């Protein structure tokens, strides 16, 4: 059941450098040398960026402004001064890592991180050509199994899909028969503890899997510079090491391990479900840990594509935070970023804006309830806005899931609307799926999926007006969903959505109206989120299978 819309109805809790109090802290840690393992630390240099802009090559030929010229005019943003009496931060190290995300996240074709980029608004690359409005399985790839967690992929479990530059691909650790001009590679982390490398066309292996040893629950990431550098976060510990890893995909060898078991953290749980962002201009990696730490890593990458060699010498800085009424630290969502402002939610439901130029928080909102769904950003005339939704978890009983639009510079709420949701321990209700912020013919809509609403096993998918938060359409789902929807944009014709649910159904939906066009039964719970490359979809179920699906 939906509740009324509230305009700026919830209290705003903000913090800047002007605040002072002993009741909370947000600080930078020492260098943490004891927490890192780096097998390649010879040299340091910035990554070289590629020539295209993450779109089909022919769309970029008429761009007369060089990327260097555009970046010079890409000034950092300044959040408005706000005061906060009950939250403070402290800096333990005078050394900081400053970075500003570029206007284009990557020049490499594909989906390189969870939801595609730093705004977290692009789980789909390219354009589909939908004729028959049908979904068809074109290949299946079985995985192994963890004894406790099974196989396939869970939440969030999105693959990356990449069309490598030719000079890089020729030196990758591919099976010889897969080193072809038309290869598009799928990289999928699995609950069985392996990372799989597959051909988008037929699902066959492009190289040998990498065995991590721990189930992977979150989504892997590739370096936005196009360098074959892979980030993988652990989901649960089944081996001795528990943290995140970086791999050289020329050789499939591990370059770096970062433990999440850190005495500096306020929380002991060391998982990394968050999917890392790579700043290709500043050679910086950013991610959040479920230990409650924010990781800011200067990679110091040395990449020689011609020789097929890459090395890193990571300089790792971590920040921690405390605030009143903040009992559940841990960042399971993936960070979103605009220029120098990075946004994240945590297990208390706190939402924080962090300034990477100063390495200080810009503002913080008070907790509602656990928020693991990733924040999605939209930039309106140079002004960032956040779309976010909360769960029904910490409250310990049935409650309200809040969907919100928030001003990214002030932290002020633009609108909020609530949906009644059931509390269900460990498999909670509310928003776990990351929303779709519409573009093209649905540029007035933001689309949320809310779990356990009208009944404990049912859900609601709703399209809201971006300006007002009013419902445009609503679908009362027979089976709830944690999996994030993904859009299918076309050069001509309407935009469609794909949405998986816990019973294994994959739905094709007309995005402007909510009308269901087709349903494909994949046979088992779809928790993982899909990635889309033109008219092909890749996603996994909890039943030990990765699927390739085509939209007809």
């Amino acid at each position: 059941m939906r509740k009324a819309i509230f305009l700026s109805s919830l209290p705003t809790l903000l913090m800047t450098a002007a605040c002072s109090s002993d009741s909370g802290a947000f600080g930078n840690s020492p260098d943490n040398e004891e927490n890192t393992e780096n097998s390649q630390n010879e040299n340091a240099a910035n990554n070289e960026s590629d020539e295209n802009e993450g779109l089909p090559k022919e769309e970029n030929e008429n761009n007369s402004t060089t990327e260097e010229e555009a970046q010079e005019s890409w000034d950092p943003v300044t959040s408005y001064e706000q005061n906060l009496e009950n939250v403070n931060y402290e800096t333990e190290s005078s050394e900081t890592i400053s970075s500003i995300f570029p206007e284009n996240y990557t020049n490499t074709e594909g989906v390189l991180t969870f939801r595609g980029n730093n705004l977290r608004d692009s789980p789909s690359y390219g354009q589909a050509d939908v004729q028959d409005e049908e979904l068809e399985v074109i290949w299946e790839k079985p995985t192994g199994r963890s004894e406790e967690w099974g196989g396939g992929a869970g939440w969030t479990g999105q693959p990356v899909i990449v069309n490598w530059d030719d000079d890089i691909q020729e030196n990758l650790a591919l099976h010889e028969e897969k080193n072809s001009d038309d290869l598009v590679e799928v990289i999928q982390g699995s609950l069985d503890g392996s990372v799989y490398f597959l051909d988008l066309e037929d699902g066959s292996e492009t190289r040998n899997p990498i065995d991590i040893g721990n189930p992977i629950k979150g989504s892997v990431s590739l370096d936005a510079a196009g360098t074959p550098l892979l980030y993988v976060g652990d989901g649960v510990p089944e081996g001795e090491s528990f943290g995140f890893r970086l791999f050289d995909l020329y050789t499939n060898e591990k370059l770096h391990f970062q433990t999440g078991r850190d005495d500096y953290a306020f929380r002991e749980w060391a998982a990394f479900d968050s999917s890392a962002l790579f700043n290709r201009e500043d050679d910086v990696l950013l991610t959040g840990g479920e230990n409650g730490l924010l990781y800011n890593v200067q990679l110091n990458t040395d990449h020689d594509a011609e020789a097929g060699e890459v090395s890193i010498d990571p300089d790792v800085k971590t920040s921690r935070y405390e605030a009143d009424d903040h009992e559940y630290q841990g960042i399971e969502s993936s960070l979103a970023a605009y220029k120098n402002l990075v946004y994240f939610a945590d297990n208390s439901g706190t939402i924080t804006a962090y300034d990477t130029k100063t390495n200080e928080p810009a503002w913080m909102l008070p907790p509602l309830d656990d928020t693991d769904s990733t924040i999605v950003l939209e930039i309106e005339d140079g002004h960032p806005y956040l779309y976010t939704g909360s769960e029904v978890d910490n409250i310990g009983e049935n409650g309200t899931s809040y969907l919100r639009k928030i001003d990214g510079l002030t932290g002020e709420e633009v609108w909020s609307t609530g949906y009644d949701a059931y509390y269900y321990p460990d498999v909670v209700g509310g928003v776990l799926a990351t929303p779709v912020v519409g573009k093209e013919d649905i540029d007035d809509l933001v689309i949320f999926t809310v779990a356990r609403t009208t009944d404990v096993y049912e859900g609601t998918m709703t399209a809201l007006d971006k300006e007002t938060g009013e419902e445009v359409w609503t679908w009362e789902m027979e089976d709830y969903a944690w999996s994030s929807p993904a859009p299918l944009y076309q050069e001509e014709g309407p935009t469609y959505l794909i949405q998986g649910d816990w019973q294994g159904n994959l739905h094709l939906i007309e995005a402007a109206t909510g009308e269901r066009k087709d349903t494909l039964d994949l046979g088992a719970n779809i928790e993982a989120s899909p990635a889309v490359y033109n008219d092909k979809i890749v996603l996994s179920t909890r039943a030990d299978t990765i699927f390739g699906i085509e939209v007809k």
Side-chain angles (χ1 to χ4, degrees):
M1 180 178 179
R2 181 174 181 257
K3 295 184 179 295
I5 293 174
F6 309 95
L7 295 178
S8 300
S9 61
L10 296 174
T12 301
L13 189 65
L14 304 163
M15 68 178 172
T16 68
C19 310
S20 61
S21 172
D22 293 331
S23 62
F26 198 134
N28 294 332
S29 77
D31 291 343
N32 290 323
E33 292 181 0
E34 67 276 12
N35 292 329
T36 62
E37 171 192 329
N38 185 4
S39 61
Q40 304 226 0
N41 57 2
E42 295 86 2
N43 299 302
N46 289 332
N47 288 328
E48 297 179 1
S49 62
D50 299 320
E51 302 257 336
N52 61 67
E53 294 184 333
L55 295 170
K57 295 181 177 68
E58 61 271 16
E59 296 185 16
N60 302 307
E61 293 173 355
N62 297 322
N63 186 357
S64 60
T65 302
T66 68
E67 185 172 349
E68 290 78 9
E69 290 171 339
Q71 189 63 21
E72 286 177 3
S73 63
W74 190 245
D75 297 327
V77 289
T78 303
S79 59
Y80 301 124
E81 281 293 320
Q82 303 286 349
N83 290 323
L84 179 66
E85 295 181 355
N86 63 335
V87 175
N88 192 17
Y89 65 89
E90 57 189 23
T91 301
E92 293 189 357
S93 172
S94 59
E95 298 180 6
T96 60
I97 298 173
S98 175
S99 63
I100 303 175
F101 276 86
E103 186 170 8
N104 297 315
Y105 180 70
T106 184
N107 291 330
T108 300
E109 294 183 6
V111 180
L112 271 60
T113 186
F114 182 67
R115 311 302 275 185
N117 59 22
N118 53 300
L119 303 181
R120 304 295 186 178
D121 71 344
S122 297
S124 308
Y125 174 84
Q127 294 178 322
D129 182 16
V130 181
Q131 299 293 327
D132 300 326
E133 299 182 323
E134 295 178 352
L135 299 170
E136 179 182 329
V137 174
I138 56 174
W139 54 260
E140 300 179 29
K141 168 63 179 177
T143 69
R145 287 183 61 82
S146 157
E147 184 174 335
E148 181 176 356
W149 286 86
W155 182 94
T156 56
Q158 180 204 284
V160 300
I161 305 176
V162 58
N163 186 358
W164 295 104
D165 282 359
D166 292 342
D167 60 342
I168 291 175
Q169 181 178 310
E170 66 183 13
N171 288 313
L172 295 176
L174 300 171
H175 298 320
E176 184 176 355
E177 69 275 11
K178 286 300 178 181
N179 201 345
S180 62
D181 292 342
D182 58 356
L183 175 67
V184 177
E185 192 169 33
V186 174
I187 306 176
Q188 174 74 66
S190 173
L191 289 169
D192 71 0
S194 294
V195 179
Y196 291 90
F197 300 86
L198 310 175
D199 188 330
L200 177 63
E201 191 65 27
D202 60 12
S204 59
E205 289 191 358
T206 57
R207 60 177 98 190
N208 295 329
I210 295 175
D211 181 23
I212 303 299
N214 291 323
I216 303 162
K217 289 169 63 254
S219 301
V220 299
S221 294
L222 283 174
D223 189 348
T227 303
L229 189 64
L230 178 70
Y231 165 95
V232 183
D234 290 341
V236 288
E238 290 189 350
E240 291 184 9
S241 300
F242 194 28
F244 72 77
R245 296 164 173 81
L246 293 168
F247 289 90
D248 168 9
L249 294 187
Y250 285 127
T251 63
N252 281 12
E253 294 180 357
K254 181 177 64 179
L255 297 182
H256 178 76
F257 170 73
Q258 181 71 38
T259 184
R261 296 185 172 114
D262 192 327
D263 292 339
Y264 185 67
F266 291 123
R267 189 183 184 208
E268 294 182 359
W269 184 241
F272 285 86
D273 284 353
S274 183
S275 180
L277 288 176
F278 287 84
N279 185 331
R280 63 187 174 88
E281 293 289 341
D282 295 327
D283 194 27
V284 168
L285 178 150
L286 285 166
T287 194
E290 291 188 53
N291 55 14
L293 295 181
L294 179 66
Y295 289 78
N296 195 347
V297 184
Q298 187 74 58
L299 292 169
N300 296 312
T301 304
D302 188 5
H303 178 213
D304 186 339
E306 184 176 355
E309 297 177 351
V310 61
S311 64
I312 55 175
D313 184 13
D315 178 15
V316 181
K317 305 294 184 186
T318 56
S319 299
R320 64 182 184 179
Y321 58 97
E322 284 185 318
D324 288 354
D325 303 319
H326 192 285
E327 301 178 13
Y328 305 97
Q329 285 165 327
I331 305 168
E332 289 189 62
S333 63
S334 297
L335 310 181
Y338 173 64
K339 293 187 176 181
N340 53 300
L341 292 179
V342 172
Y343 304 93
F344 62 91
D346 67 11
N347 293 148
S348 279
T350 297
I351 295 177
T352 299
Y354 192 75
D355 191 335
T356 59
K357 279 296 281 185
T358 63
N359 281 327
E360 296 177 351
W363 52 259
M364 179 185 283
L365 298 184
L368 293 178
D369 204 328
D370 191 357
T371 302
D372 297 328
S373 170
T374 292
I375 293 165
V376 183
L377 302 181
E378 184 169 50
I379 313 305
E380 301 178 15
D381 297 324
H383 195 115
Y385 290 89
L386 287 61
Y387 292 94
T388 182
S390 64
E391 299 163 25
V392 174
D393 185 3
N394 298 334
I395 191 174
E397 60 186 11
N398 300 341
T400 301
S401 172
Y402 291 98
L403 320 183
R404 294 189 285 171
K405 179 179 182 178
I406 296 166
D407 188 314
L409 296 186
T410 68
E412 294 175 341
E413 193 175 89
V414 178
W415 52 255
S416 173
T417 185
Y419 287 77
D420 290 340
Y422 286 86
Y423 171 71
Y424 195 101
D426 298 325
V427 191
V428 300
V431 177
L432 276 297
T434 294
V436 168
V437 176
K439 306 174 186 178
E440 300 184 8
D441 62 318
I442 56 167
D443 63 359
D444 59 336
L445 301 180
V446 55
I447 299 159
F448 286 89
T449 305
V450 190
R452 302 192 186 277
T453 51
T454 53
D455 186 76
V456 69
Y457 293 110
E458 297 175 358
T460 299
M461 192 174 195
T462 184
L464 305 181
D465 184 285
K466 289 180 182 177
E467 293 297 319
T468 66
E470 294 280 0
E471 283 183 355
V472 176
W473 60 257
T474 297
W475 171 32
E476 301 298 350
M477 304 172 66
E478 186 175 331
D479 302 296
Y480 77 84
W482 277 17
S483 177
S484 302
L488 296 162
Y489 294 107
Q490 303 189 85
E491 185 174 354
E492 296 181 2
T495 297
Y496 294 86
L497 302 169
I498 51 170
Q499 175 68 67
D501 66 37
W502 81 279
Q503 283 284 50
N505 302 304
L506 185 66
H507 304 278
L508 180 67
I509 304 159
E510 187 171 305
T513 65
E515 181 181 356
R516 269 77 67 208
K517 297 296 185 178
D518 194 23
T519 298
L520 184 65
D521 184 3
L522 298 183
N525 186 359
I526 304 170
E527 276 185 15
S529 294
V532 179
Y533 192 95
N534 294 328
D535 57 358
K536 291 184 174 63
I537 303 160
V538 182
L539 84 164
S540 301
T541 68
R542 291 294 300 267
D544 316 339
T545 307
I546 306 166
F547 288 90
I549 297 161
E550 190 168 13
V551 185
K552 302 290 188 178

